[in-house]
Amino acid sequence: MSEFLKMIKKQRESSKNEKFEGTFIEYLEMIKKDPEKVKLAHKRLYETICDFGVETVDVDSSNYRDIFNGDKIRTYEYFKEEFFGMEAVINKLMRFLKSAAHKGEESRQVLLLMGPVGAGKSALTEHIKRSLDGQRYYHLEGDPQRGEPLQLIPRSLRNDMEEMLGVKIEGDLSPIARWELLNKYKGKYENYKVVESTFSQRGRRGIAVVPPMDANSQDVSVLIGTEDISKLDRYSEDDPRVLSLNGAFNVGNRGIVEFVEVFKNEIEFLHTMLTATQEKRVPAPGKHDMVFFDGVILAHCNESEWNRFKSEHTNEAILDRVVKINVPYVLELDQEMRIYQKMIQRSDFNKAHIAPHALKVASMFSVMSRLKPSNKCDLLTKMKIYNGDAIIEKGRVKKVDIKDLKDEARHEGMEGISTRFIMKSLDSALSDSEKEMITPINVIDSLTRQVKEQIIDEEAKNRYLEILGKIIREEYLKILENEIAKAFITAYEEQAQSLFDSYLDNAEAYTTKTRFKDKITREERSPDEKFMKSIEEMIGVVGSARDGFRSDVTAYMFSKMRRGETVDYKSYGPLREAVEQYLITSVKDISRIVTKSKSRDDDQKKRYSEMLETLIVEYGYNEHSAEEILTYAANNLWRDS
Ligand SMILES: Nc1ncnc2c1ncn2[C@@H]1O[C@H](COP(=O)(O)OP(=O)(O)OP(=O)(O)O)[C@@H](O)[C@H]1O
Ligand SMILES: [Mg+2]
């Protein structure tokens, strides 16, 4: 047998693997054994997502604390590798589904995701729908609405049956199932055939999408199905057999109905949505009775559409049925970077070289474009605080409360540069580069070009150009200068660690007024004032501040050690900064001379090639990107020399 044919057959066998088929009685027996099989749509969706795994983040022990201001937060495995920095949105969404699953008022509401372009509304909706794809559910055979079989049970028997089965029974048969029952099964519902299907968006089973439609082409049949005109001469108008129940609410019954850019539709069109939520029923075409609907209604829109819709007095009834969740842009630098890592990995550029900091400068731009200025700190500092970075000032971790910053900028994240804008700029930087690479330098260039070409609003344009040309450029030059200097230091980490160790020995001896044993000479000695000063001045700790700094460091480290935590040079932000600056300063001159000079002597050549090697092997550059940043450094750094 052909290899292909084998594969095809094997796949067909496995996908068939015994789906349930049986009479209603057999179905009842099965439900009695496992009542969990019966679920309304919200519950099914909620549980499906939770089944992937849920974790409650310990907000006290992580920097989540700052970011979420102490709110309890859960992370859902299902979203973890797809969405970044959206924990708050996802938590709200899951809270909605959870209450709806418990048949709270939410199960009769539309979930609306509202946010700026490219904030991930569509992607989030797609991902939610995908969770259902392939899940199984039971329904009446031949029923276009794929209704819950328990709806066969007449009202008079429902209470007893509910008790026997341990489930709640909700809703009524579709007109077509009812016709089948009366005519084909002669009312004997115990014989009605029950089958099992999988949810499938492409197969239009349990997942339906309603695209936005203009007023002319808009037709409620998209939502509720039609009457099949060709059958009207065979059957009477009120015979259910003329119905084609293939509208979104029919198809999406038991699962999800998505409304793409919902408020682009005319209001008349949306009234069906209203009855669907309020009464859990939607109209049927023609003269037929309403049909039952149980499903999650997920809609999305952007802010201007929302504002326009909200301002119309006549829309109140619908507004009352909407639970709106804002989907703002990401304001955390590290999370924003992950978005582009993901997007590039999944694009045709996934083999391209991404030089260090390239995605960082791009993300700095998008995040800063979204931030509102504050008079508590500058934009760059605000970005770092939002990212949970420690801001060191005069030897202390600067305490600007993230909550204060967020309080004064309530609407933050709803405008600014979109993810798509950044992606386009990265793509264009990649396609323009002959070496198939992006570096911070060509990213900043490409972003600047795009801003000039695409941003129409003069004020925004100037603000963006200043962020790129001034704030980001200067910050990048700092990063670059440090990185090059670091690359000149052989065994950087060890050197930093050993400086840290001796500083700690000295500071402890100084604070406790004792002598300590020199690690190398094994001799008793008193603390080396000159050495400590040279480290401290790196972060502006001078004069009377020294004593405090030394005892702070000592106390901090010892309390960490007591708790059994490891202590290294990275443990305490201010000291780490001081140690690193000390090292970097010690090689600044040589790194400038060697990098800038056109003719190097033998020793300089050696140091240069070692530095290059470090950049490539340890820091992630390749030959071309290393060359590009070194040239850039030579031309832009150390101007005064
Ligand atoms: N926080 C995020 N995490 C991961 N990916 C994201 C995030 N925000 C946006 N994206 C990605 O950005 C791209 C654009 O998002 P999407 O199309 O979902 O935006 P949208 O909100 O629907 O915008 P529009 O209003 O223009 O339709 C998607 O590929 C999405 O995966
Ligand atoms: Mg969208």
Side-chain angles (χ1 to χ4, degrees), residues 82-84 86 115-124 261 302 330 339 342-343 419-420:
E82 290 289 324
F83 296 95
F84 314 114
M86 282 181 86
V117 292
K121 303 178 296 295
S122 299
L124 193 57
E261 304 184 14
N302 64 39
V330 172
I339 301 177
K342 174 189 88 171
M343 284 165 120
T419 48
R420 273 193 214 106

Side-chain angles (χ1 to χ4, degrees), residues 608-622:
Y608 185 81
S609 66
E610 278 170 3
M611 180 266 297
L612 205 58
E613 171 95 358
T614 304
L615 286 179
I616 294 170
V617 177
E618 285 178 37
Y619 296 170
Y621 291 89
N622 70 10

Side-chain angles (χ1 to χ4, degrees), residues 340-355:
Y340 306 119
Q341 263 153 12
K342 174 189 88 171
M343 284 165 120
I344 287 180
Q345 239 163 47
R346 292 180 188 176
S347 75
D348 293 344
F349 289 121
N350 58 9
K351 297 273 184 318
H353 170 64
I354 315 287

